[in-house]
Amino acid sequence: MMDRWLLKGGWVADPEMGWNGRMDARVQEGRIVEIGEHLMPELGETVIDCEGLWVLPGLIDVHVHLREPGQAYKEDLETGGHAAAAGGFTHVCCMPNTRPALDSPALLREIARRAEQVSPSRVSVVAALTVGMEGEQLCDYNALQAAGAVAFSDDAFPIQSAAVMRRAMRWCAELKMPVVTHCEDQSLTESGSMNEGIVSAMMGVKGMPAVAEDLQIARNGLLAMELGCRLHVQHLSTAMGLRLIQFFRSLENALSGEPIAERTHAYRVPLISCEASPHHLLLTDQACDQFRTEAKMNPPLRTEEDRRFLSDHLLTDIDCVATDHAPHAAFEKERAFGDAPLGIVGLETALGCILTWGLQRNQPLNALQVARLMSQQPARLFHLPGGTLKPGNPADITLINPQATWKVQPEQFRTKGRSTPFAGWELTGQTVATFVGGRRVYERA
Amino acid sequence: MPHLLSARDDAFPALILRAEHVHHALQNHTFASSPVFAGKTIALLFYEPSTRTRVAFESAAHHLGLHPITINAQSSSIVKGESIRDTVQTLCSEGMDALVIRHPREGASEVAAHYASVPVLNAGDGSHEHPTQALTDRLTLQLAWGDLKGRKIAIVGDVAHSRVARSNVWSLTQAGMEVWLCAPPTLLPPSFAGVKTTSCLSEALEGADAVMTLRMQNERMEGGLLPGLGAYVRDYQINASNLRYANPDCLILHPGPINRGVEIDDETANSAQSLILKQVQHGLAARITALEFALNGV
């Protein structure tokens, strides 16, 4: 028994189909069957008045930590999946730094089975690049791909050896699988807790310099160019990091002799793509003042110069927004700054943060821009279904009220994590309902 | 809650005035503790070894008629992995009236203050701050000069890892001094609000009215931050030869413990211009003042 819906009078934005206007959407048998103006209700349909709402292809977050297996006290597939749905995400990609690491086909199948049972949102796995994420032994990429891995990553344990990364990329290039990297030269960041700069100097806290990130972006970018491997750079935090990405793009275009693809509805996946997280677009290392562990994550919050450079290029050079949702238990975040773990939650605040970011810049984001950054482009980058409302596709849809103002109250989150630097913020833009495969998995009370 | 976590705290300037008063009363043997302190108990929570700070706080507690209970990390539940929150809340439940905390992590005293139901005094948190040492040093300079305004001080040594340097930056700039931080490039923050930084000792000492030299820890050499002890001594040791750049009556301070022959030579440490032992002595007045503030709110 599948639900039948008619989403009426909303603003439909779908960059892939070139839709951007007031239209109705019909959902039957779990699929989108029709998008058009003035659709008439049919028998058995539930009509939802979407006046004033955006009707977007379901949001996709390619960077979350769901902590299963092994650290369910921080998060599990059920709580993480519900947090995703509440944040408007119909599909998330979980990172492999679990215990044990997601480096075997059996574990991937177990995650898929569990997610199917308990998570309202779709969950794909980004599998480990090396066995145990130890940065030495290559994983069985062929078997992991067959078991459903959508990409391979060293997130949280960046591969230090260029030789190992080169071998991994050589293999993944052959499989046409994206290599997803957390860029950090750890010889420069050892025992660091925040950005190295004026604020860390005043706090006496060991810093993690921006150049540690830039170095590995450069290294991984050069390797990707050499091998023709799809590289996705996670959570850019530095201005120089983005400049390097821009450089690689111009190099790619110069070498291929093709003009840079216009970013209209045809989105061409670049060889080297990148994501930005809402916290790096909204905050700087000043947020760490008074040793606030809810501002401690990796890569760390950087300077205003970095924040502004990323912001100025979000719509032109950054491929997608991803949360790096990294929940930890409250008792872990209550430790002294240097002893607290790295990471904050983000699934339930990302949409509001991004829309609020636009308002803060006096350049409110429109529905099409949000659909690109949070649905279409992440889908294409990771070869995921979705990212479009094309009839015939599974009905993964997010209804958004772009005007709604709400206060961030972590105690009301669905995630087990509570640590966010946005606690108490007034955000504008809120998920009203989330549909996955035609099922309404979240509805704002 | 009258916590003292940083020399940036609003209460800090008022504490200087009080410390001077306490100092004179101690000198004249007229110091009398208020009866409100009688029977109160404070916990001295030391996650890191300390001699002078611990002794000064214990002695200050006795002067005030308080019962100090010293807890060393090695001999408590802390070695069993108890969190700061739980330790602090336990001590508050045990009826402590104030907590003094020394911890190897920056911001630990802020965590303690967040969970404590009684005042918390920071007795040094990692490389962050050591406000009662800054109070001691400020008192020492105040007693020597009366007015600090416009005077130049060079703080020389492992600035990057020094909580004493950080607290003194706030305290001494607030007093209107010209503060210079001087260290080898690898131990010098690239910039620091409100002060001048240099790796050139003669520039830092040029016309200085006071120099505070910091302990150079051996770990820094082993950690590859410095080429070696010999090179450090050659370029950064405070001695008669370098002091020729400073004012002739330049005062010498050191928060201790001293590595004689490393950051300072014997002759300079023992010289008439050295206030090093005075600093130790003034540490008592500073801690009495801090405890009074915490328990009484001044």
Side-chain angles (χ1 to χ4, degrees), chain A residues 198 201-204 334 339, chain B residues 85 105-106 115 127 166 191:
Chain A
I198 296 171
M202 298 207 326
M203 291 167 65
E334 282 168 2
D339 294 325
Chain B
R85 176 189 180 157
R105 278 297 192 188
E106 299 80 21
Y115 294 108
S127 304
R166 271 179 194 76
S191 64

Side-chain angles (χ1 to χ4, degrees), chain A residues 85-244:
Chain A
F89 294 101
T90 56
H91 197 150
V92 296
C93 297
C94 64
M95 289 299 137
N97 61 325
T98 50
R99 287 182 194 170
L102 302 180
D103 61 3
S104 76
L107 281 168
L108 263 61
R109 290 194 189 95
E110 175 61 12
I111 295 287
R113 190 188 63 78
R114 276 268 301 151
E116 185 73 29
Q117 284 173 355
V118 301
S119 170
S121 295
R122 301 179 198 275
V123 176
S124 290
V125 175
V126 174
L129 258 180
T130 56
V131 174
M133 301 195 77
E134 286 171 356
E136 289 167 11
Q137 174 82 40
L138 301 189
C139 286
D140 184 349
Y141 303 124
N142 298 12
L144 289 166
Q145 187 183 32
V150 295
F152 297 101
S153 179
D154 63 359
D155 187 31
F157 302 100
I159 294 177
Q160 297 303 295
S161 156
V164 173
M165 182 56 94
R166 189 163 179 259
R167 285 178 214 130
M169 281 197 188
R170 175 73 190 83
W171 202 299
C172 292
E174 206 61 41
L175 297 183
K176 301 203 181 327
M177 287 285 271
V179 167
V180 175
T181 61
H182 168 125
C183 294
E184 176 185 348
D185 183 319
Q186 291 178 318
S187 70
L188 292 171
T189 57
E190 199 190 341
S191 69
S193 295
M194 62 182 291
N195 182 49
E196 181 182 298
I198 296 171
V199 183
S200 70
M202 298 207 326
M203 291 167 65
V205 170
K206 175 98 165 48
M208 308 162 87
V211 74
E213 183 172 340
D214 306 336
L215 272 173
Q216 274 216 346
I217 292 175
R219 182 199 76 177
N220 293 347
L222 288 169
L223 291 173
M225 294 288 291
E226 183 211 6
L227 301 166
C229 176
R230 261 282 293 127
L231 170 67
H232 179 74
V233 176
Q234 296 180 294
H235 43 39
L236 271 185
S237 74
T238 72
M240 183 58 82
L242 183 51
R243 286 183 196 281
L244 287 165

Side-chain angles (χ1 to χ4, degrees), chain A residues 191 193 196-198 200-206 289-291 293 330-331 333-340, chain B residues 8 83-85 103 105-108 110-111 115 125-129 160-161 166 170 189-193:
Chain A
S191 69
S193 295
E196 181 182 298
I198 296 171
S200 70
M202 298 207 326
M203 291 167 65
V205 170
K206 175 98 165 48
D289 193 30
Q290 310 209 305
F291 303 95
T293 59
F331 73 86
K333 281 295 213 177
E334 282 168 2
R335 294 177 191 145
F337 193 81
D339 294 325
Chain B
R8 294 158 93 176
S83 71
I84 298 179
R85 176 189 180 157
H103 197 282
R105 278 297 192 188
E106 299 80 21
E110 309 245 355
V111 176
Y115 294 108
D125 60 332
S127 304
H128 178 227
E129 285 217 42
H161 301 94
R166 271 179 194 76
W170 301 119
S191 64
F192 204 99

Side-chain angles (χ1 to χ4, degrees), chain B residues 9 17 21 37 49 78 108 116 122 128 140 170 215 219 255 275-276:
Chain B
D9 289 359
L17 296 173
H21 178 81
F37 299 125
I78 293 158
N122 179 5
H128 178 227
T140 302
W170 301 119
R215 176 179 152 79
E219 300 96 274
L275 300 179
I276 296 172

